[in-house]
């Protein structure tokens, strides 16, 4: 898959029956296209030319090296099939500089619809949020960063089902992680939910891996991937669990740039960037305690209207709130008696205990 300013795709229709015969061994160095399992993880390795190589280490670790004699290569470890609810942790060394064309990304495919998706954690000289002919869908906050979302279309290009026309979804981390020693967590559900709120839906999952990729560049990587813990991008919590709850927040923004978070017991369960139309935003949690919807990025012209939340189908209207610290009343943020659907300032509407 080319990392070029005219767009890119990953050629992952990898080679036939031989690829299915890969065996799970440690310290296996790959120099030709292959997929399989190794030490409990799925792996994929592909290059179109040159001398890039990837070595399968213990557990979720892999190492790679390549130089400018390689046109394009990509590889990594992860899971097959993938899942929308996976939380991924990674650590290691990303041996690339800003002048080299490379990505470090959580990467995968779905079918029906056929979608190629990327959570870009770091990149070199080319930012995929500038892919030619794409459409921007705003940004949202997850795992301590802002992710910018863009969709591009590939026409009659290689895919897991041969040459097809399909969309690519990009979430690009800002700030990017950089280079050298690197680590992070990706709460994939946050991306899936934000994409879905924009009409960018996924299908049935094929593989998903923490991938290194290079295009006409030089670099190395030493990355270990593992299944993380937590949900919705929030920090861990000691709040008691009382069973899974489905919470729907019905809200809209004035400009479509407003960001809100659902919190339970002072723990962020989910964060969304709103549209200008009233829409439902859904999250699940096992937490119990006080619940609130918090507006977090107030600026000139931005306001939030929260119609209600529902908990397992039981609606709690915003006018029946316990408090509102973001409404502008009596000349002050949080002034007056609250009881408003509106958040004009950074603040929160409380809805009582879950």
């Amino acid at each position: 898959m080319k990392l070029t300013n005219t767009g890119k795709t990953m050629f992952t229709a990898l080679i036939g029956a031989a690829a299915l015969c890969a065996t799970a061994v440690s310290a296996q160095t790959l120099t030709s296209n292959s997929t399989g399992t190794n030490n409990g993880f799925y792996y994929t390795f592909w290059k179109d030319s040159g001398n890039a190589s990837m070595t399968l280490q213990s557990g979720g670790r892999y190492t790679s090296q390549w130089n400018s004699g390689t046109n394009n290569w990509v590889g990594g470890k992860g899971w097959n099939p993938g899942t929308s609810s996976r939380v991924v942790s990674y650590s290691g060394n990303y041996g690339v500089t800003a002048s080299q064309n490379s990505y470090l990304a959580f990467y995968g495919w779905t079918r029906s619809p056929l979608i190629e998706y990327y959570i870009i954690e770091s990149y070199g000289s080319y930012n995929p949020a500038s892919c030619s002919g794409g459409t921007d869908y705003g940004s949202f906050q997850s795992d301590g960063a802002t992710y910018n979302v863009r969709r591009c279309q590939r026409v009659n290009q290689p895919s897991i089902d041969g040459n097809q026309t399909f969309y690519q979804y990009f979430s690009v981390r800002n700030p990017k992680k950089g280079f050298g020693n690197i680590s992070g967590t990706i709460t994939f559900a946050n991306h899936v939910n934000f994409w879905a709120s924009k009409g960018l839906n996924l299908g049935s999952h094929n593989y998903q891996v923490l991938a290194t990729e290079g295009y006409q560049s030089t670099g190395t990587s030493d990355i270990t991937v593992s299944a993380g813990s937590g949900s919705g991008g929030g920090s861990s919590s000691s709040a008691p669990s009382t069973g899974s709850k489905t919470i729907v927040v019905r809200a809209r923004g004035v400009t479509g740039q407003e960001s809100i978070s659902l919190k339970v017991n002072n723990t962020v369960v989910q964060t969304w960037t709103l549209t200008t139309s009233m829409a439902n935003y859904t999250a699940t949690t096992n937490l119990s305690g006080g619940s609130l919807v918090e507006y977090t990025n107030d600026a000139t012209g931005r306001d939030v209207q929260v119609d209600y939340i529902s908990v397992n189908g039981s609606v709690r209207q915003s006018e029946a709130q316990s408090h509102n610290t973001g409404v502008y009343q009596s000349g002050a943020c949080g002034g007056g008696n609250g009881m408003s659907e509106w958040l004009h300032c950074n603040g929160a509407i409380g809805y009582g205990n879950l």
Side-chain angles (χ1 to χ4, degrees):
M1 112 181 172
K2 288 188 176 181
L3 304 179
T4 68
N5 290 349
T6 57
K8 60 189 285 286
T9 189
M10 181 178 286
F11 184 14
T12 51
L14 297 175
I15 303 182
L20 301 177
C21 297
T23 57
V25 295
S26 297
Q28 176 187 359
T29 297
L30 306 173
T31 58
S32 59
N33 296 353
S34 180
T35 63
T37 57
N38 175 269
N39 291 306
F41 287 83
Y42 177 84
Y43 70 83
T44 177
F45 174 81
W46 173 86
K47 66 180 179 182
D48 58 7
S49 66
N51 59 0
S53 65
M54 185 174 83
T55 300
L56 305 175
Q57 308 285 357
S58 62
R61 182 184 173 209
Y62 70 92
T63 57
S64 69
Q65 58 183 355
W66 71 98
N67 60 34
S68 57
T70 301
N71 183 60
N72 187 206
W73 90 276
V74 63
K77 275 188 170 184
W79 300 267
N80 190 0
T83 175
S84 292
S85 60
R86 180 157 281 125
V87 179
V88 178
S89 295
Y90 64 90
S91 62
N93 187 277
Y94 182 44
V96 174
T97 65
S99 64
Q100 301 297 316
N101 198 344
S102 175
Y103 292 171
L104 186 71
F106 187 56
Y107 169 85
W109 286 87
T110 71
R111 289 188 171 103
S112 299
L114 183 65
I115 300 293
E116 186 183 33
Y117 63 82
Y118 305 78
I119 315 301
I120 304 291
E121 293 291 280
S122 195
Y123 60 90
S125 60
Y126 174 67
N127 181 349
S130 62
C131 58
S132 178
T135 302
D136 289 319
Y137 286 88
S139 62
F140 68 101
Q141 295 177 327
S142 181
D143 300 304
T146 298
Y147 284 86
N148 301 315
V149 174
R150 189 170 176 87
R151 185 188 71 179
C152 289
Q153 188 177 50
R154 302 293 290 162
V155 178
N156 195 30
Q157 295 296 320
S159 77
I160 56 173
D161 292 327
N163 282 9
Q164 298 285 340
T165 296
F166 55 90
Y167 283 117
Q168 300 169 306
Y169 301 166
F170 292 99
S171 287
V172 182
R173 194 181 197 276
N174 183 22
K176 64 183 179 182
K177 283 288 187 176
F179 314 106
N181 291 334
I182 195 168
S183 64
T185 297
I186 300 167
T187 306
F188 187 43
N190 291 350
H191 300 265
V192 174
N193 290 337
F194 181 82
W195 294 343
S197 76
K198 302 296 184 180
L200 309 182
N201 296 310
L202 296 177
S204 176
H205 282 281
N206 196 256
Y207 72 77
Q208 55 189 198
V209 298
L210 203 295
T212 304
E213 183 169 355
Y215 174 71
Q216 297 181 359
S217 62
T218 298
T220 64
S221 71
D222 184 344
I223 301 296
T224 299
V225 63
S226 63
S229 60
S231 64
S235 60
S236 61
S237 172
S238 59
S241 172
T242 58
S244 180
K245 308 172 188 71
T246 298
I247 303 174
V248 176
V249 178
R250 184 163 179 80
R252 72 177 184 93
V254 171
T255 68
Q257 298 172 300
E258 294 84 354
S259 180
I260 63 170
S261 295
L262 171 67
K263 286 186 173 181
V264 178
N265 198 41
N266 205 34
T267 298
V268 175
V269 173
Q270 193 78 26
T271 296
W272 304 279
T273 298
L274 302 179
T275 68
T276 56
S277 298
M278 195 65 76
N280 292 344
Y281 300 88
T282 303
T284 60
T285 184
N286 289 327
L287 297 174
S288 63
S291 61
L292 56 84
V293 174
E294 183 176 33
Y295 177 32
T296 59
N297 68 336
D298 186 34
T300 301
R302 296 182 187 173
D303 292 306
V304 170
Q305 183 183 15
V306 186
D307 188 8
Y308 61 77
I309 70 168
S310 70
V311 182
N312 289 340
S314 176
V315 173
R316 302 184 185 185
Q317 295 288 345
S318 292
E319 293 85 351
Q321 65 198 243
S322 62
H323 62 275
N324 184 337
T325 61
V327 63
Y328 189 84
Q329 290 181 341
S330 302
C333 293
N337 61 3
M339 305 306 169
S340 174
E341 294 183 344
W342 286 93
L343 293 162
H344 304 104
C345 320
N346 286 338
I349 298 175
Y351 294 90
N353 288 329
L354 295 183

